[in-house]
Amino acid sequence: GFKDRPAAAAAAPAVSNTTTEKGKPLTSSIAVDTADIPYPPETIDVPSSAAATPSKKKATAEEEEATAATTSSSSASSDVLAIFLGMIFKSIFGFIGWLLIGLPVAIVKTTLVSVVVVTILSMVYLHLQEEYFNGNALS
């Protein structure tokens, strides 16, 4: 852990301001002292022979992305239009289908259930009324 840390860095005083002398914000937090880390961080030197190949690959990749972006943006807008028109037609035909099929089926179903319920209740009522008037009143 902390045994291999230099004594000067461990005993560094807490900094009260939030910027350095150059006006850049500090990268230290309350728990970790980063005073020994150089700012800005040092970069790794890349050999010149290896540097030419990635830049060419990067340039061709950027060109392909730009071409793909222009192609996909034009096709994406037409896809959105097709989806939007499909949703509108689906809503219109769905409403017409409900009006011509769904609503009449619901009316017939409700009517049949109501007729069956009223018929059963009427038969029960007539049965109870017949027993009452025949002298067999329920007590």
Side-chain angles (χ1 to χ4, degrees):
F2 295 106
K3 294 179 181 178
D4 57 346
R5 190 177 181 109
V15 180
S16 61
N17 59 359
T18 58
T19 58
T20 62
E21 61 276 352
K22 295 179 183 177
K24 296 181 180 178
L26 291 174
T27 58
S28 63
S29 67
I30 296 172
V32 179
D33 183 26
T34 58
D36 56 338
I37 299 174
Y39 187 83
E42 297 173 4
T43 58
I44 300 172
D45 292 333
V46 179
S48 61
S49 62
T53 308
S55 64
K56 289 180 184 177
K57 289 180 183 177
K58 189 181 291 185
T60 57
E62 289 174 358
E63 290 172 3
E64 290 175 3
E65 288 177 9
T67 306
T70 56
T71 306
S72 66
S73 66
S74 62
S75 65
S77 63
S78 64
D79 291 345
V80 170
L81 179 63
I83 292 171
F84 182 68
L85 289 175
M87 289 172 52
I88 289 175
F89 285 122
K90 183 178 178 181
S91 299
I92 291 171
F93 288 122
F95 177 72
I96 291 172
W98 173 80
L99 195 64
L100 295 178
I101 297 170
L103 186 61
V105 167
I107 290 172
V108 169
K109 180 181 170 183
T110 305
T111 304
L112 288 176
V113 169
S114 299
V115 166
V116 169
V117 167
V118 168
T119 303
I120 291 174
L121 288 176
S122 299
M123 291 174 68
V124 169
Y125 176 73
L126 289 173
H127 177 71
L128 293 175
Q129 189 180 21
E130 181 185 7
E131 285 191 14
Y132 181 76
F133 284 116
N134 285 338
N136 299 330
L138 299 173
S139 36

